[in-house]
Every structure is written in C-alpha cells, then in structure tokens.
Amino acid sequence: MTDPAAPDTHASFARVGSGYYPVLVAVFTALVIISNLTATKGVEFGPIITDGGFIVFPLTYVIGDVLSEVYGFKAARRAIYTGFAMNILAALALWTTIYLPAADFYENQEHFENIAHAYTGLIIAGLAGFIVGQTLNAWSLVLIKERTKEKHLWARLVGSTFVGQLGDTVVFCAIAAGVIGITSFGDFLTYTAQGWLYKTVVEVALLPITYRVIAVIKRREPTYSPVTV
C-alpha cells in the first residue's frame, strides 16, 4: 500500500511555496478557532442536539480537501498542526487573561472564566478529533488519488469526507459531550450521529464549490502539472 506521506511519484501535487497555500492555511486556522469558540454553547432544535460549531466547522473539511487534493498529505497535515497550535495559543491567552486583575467596572469575570474553561475542554476534544479526522481525510483522499490520478474527483472528496468526518465526530463528541453539558447516553448518541450526518451532508452539498476552488487553484498554481496516466 502506498504511503501518502512519502514522496509521491504517481499523482501530481503543487509545491507550497506559492501565495495560495498560506492564504488557505490562514482561512483554515480562522475557521478552526471560530468553530471552537461557537462550540462552547450546546444548542437544540427540537430532537436535534448539537453545538454552535455546526455553523462553520464543515468548511474546515472543504479547505482540508482543497489542501490535500492540490498540495498533498504533508502540506495538509502541516495546516492541521498550524491550526491547532493557534488554538492552543488562544487558550493560553484566555487563561492568562483570567488571572489579570479585573477593572472595577468589569462585571463579567465569571462568564469569561466559564467560556475559557469550556474553550479549553473543546480544544482538547477538538485536538484529538480534528487531528484524527483531518489526518484520515487527507490520507484517504491522497490514497484514492494515487489510484484515480485526475479522474473521479467526486470519489476522492466524498470518500475522504465519509471517513474523516466519522473519525473526527466520534472522537470529538466522546470528549466534548461532557464539556457542553450532555450527560445521558441517549443524548450522546444523538449528538454524535446527528453531528456526523450533518457535517457529511453539508460537505457533500458544497462539492460544486469545492470543485470550483480546486480547479481554479490547480489552474493558477505554476507548480501543478496533472498526471493523467
């Protein structure tokens, strides 16, 4: 079996030295931080139990697909590590701010501490789930590309989404459920299953946009030379 982390001789990928890669990594990192902040609130729509991270979190997998498809496994993994390094920095900044002396007029210390505590718990859940999920997502996409070259992009995107989101959701929800206040096993199963289904459906629905972004970057990346045979 081909190791997608090894130097690739069967599928084409661009080098990361162009201006597109750092922009994608910056967007990716911002989406991860926003998702973890909004995920500190558990939300419920009738029988649907989730957290605020559902608003933008699926977009991280769209960017992850673009990075994996255009730049390869190592470049995508680098973006994952960068995103979570910045999340850890955000958590450290929040905890440092907790212990700074509050101004006399500041009345939200307790609320700020609650957010910092929840954010830290979600950083742990997100770090575990996201590294597992995004690594599986990038690995499976690149592995499929080894077989299909430039053909069947839909298979790479859908297949990697199915695998990556499943790994991410199970690991994340196992840790995050307690952080946001889910205590019953039934609610945990609902939270996990609905989260995986929602994120997968959203990413599949966004395939036309993902296709377009990938096509534009491939066309404009001077180091990308597609291998079709």
Side-chain angles (χ1 to χ4, degrees):
M1 180 178 293
T2 302
D3 178 5
D8 182 72
T9 59
H10 304 287
S12 177
F13 299 105
R15 293 197 297 268
V16 299
S18 75
Y20 292 101
Y21 180 76
V23 171
L24 288 170
V25 173
V27 173
F28 180 85
T29 301
L31 289 172
V32 173
I33 293 174
I34 293 168
S35 295
N36 276 336
L37 281 172
T38 55
T40 58
K41 179 177 179 178
V43 297
E44 185 174 350
F45 302 98
I48 299 174
I49 300 174
T50 184
D51 57 63
F54 82 92
I55 301 170
V56 300
F57 183 76
L59 296 178
T60 63
Y61 274 82
V62 173
I63 302 297
D65 283 343
V66 174
L67 288 166
S68 300
E69 171 68 19
V70 178
Y71 299 100
F73 182 80
K74 287 185 176 180
R77 185 174 58 187
R78 188 183 308 169
I80 295 168
Y81 294 161
T82 300
F84 269 92
M86 293 301 98
N87 262 279
I88 292 171
L89 178 61
L92 290 173
L94 287 171
W95 278 93
T96 300
T97 305
I98 285 176
Y99 292 104
L100 293 176
D104 292 338
F105 58 80
Y106 186 72
E107 300 177 351
N108 297 311
Q109 179 69 18
E110 182 178 355
H111 300 300
F112 185 86
E113 289 183 14
N114 289 337
I115 293 295
H117 292 162
Y119 186 82
T120 304
L122 290 170
I123 285 289
I124 297 171
L127 181 61
F130 201 62
I131 286 180
V132 169
Q134 282 286 2
T135 300
L136 286 173
N137 182 74
W139 181 83
S140 57
L141 189 150
V142 172
L143 189 64
I144 296 171
K145 188 173 183 179
E146 287 283 340
R147 307 294 190 269
T148 61
K149 307 302 186 287
E150 296 298 312
K151 299 177 181 178
H152 308 306
L153 176 58
W154 66 269
R156 297 196 290 278
L157 298 180
V158 173
S160 63
T161 293
F162 184 92
V163 173
Q165 292 285 13
L166 180 61
D168 181 293
T169 304
V170 171
V171 174
F172 175 83
C173 290
I175 302 171
V179 175
I180 66 174
I182 293 176
T183 56
S184 75
F185 185 68
D187 284 346
F188 167 73
L189 289 180
T190 300
Y191 178 50
T192 304
Q194 291 177 345
W196 174 74
L197 180 62
Y198 167 78
K199 289 181 284 190
T200 302
V201 168
V202 168
E203 190 171 351
V204 171
L206 290 174
L207 277 180
I209 297 174
T210 308
Y211 260 75
R212 180 60 180 165
V213 173
I214 288 174
V216 169
I217 294 178
K218 281 183 176 179
R219 188 169 61 250
R220 296 184 179 182
E221 269 289 4
T223 61
Y224 191 88
S225 300
V227 175
T228 57
V229 294

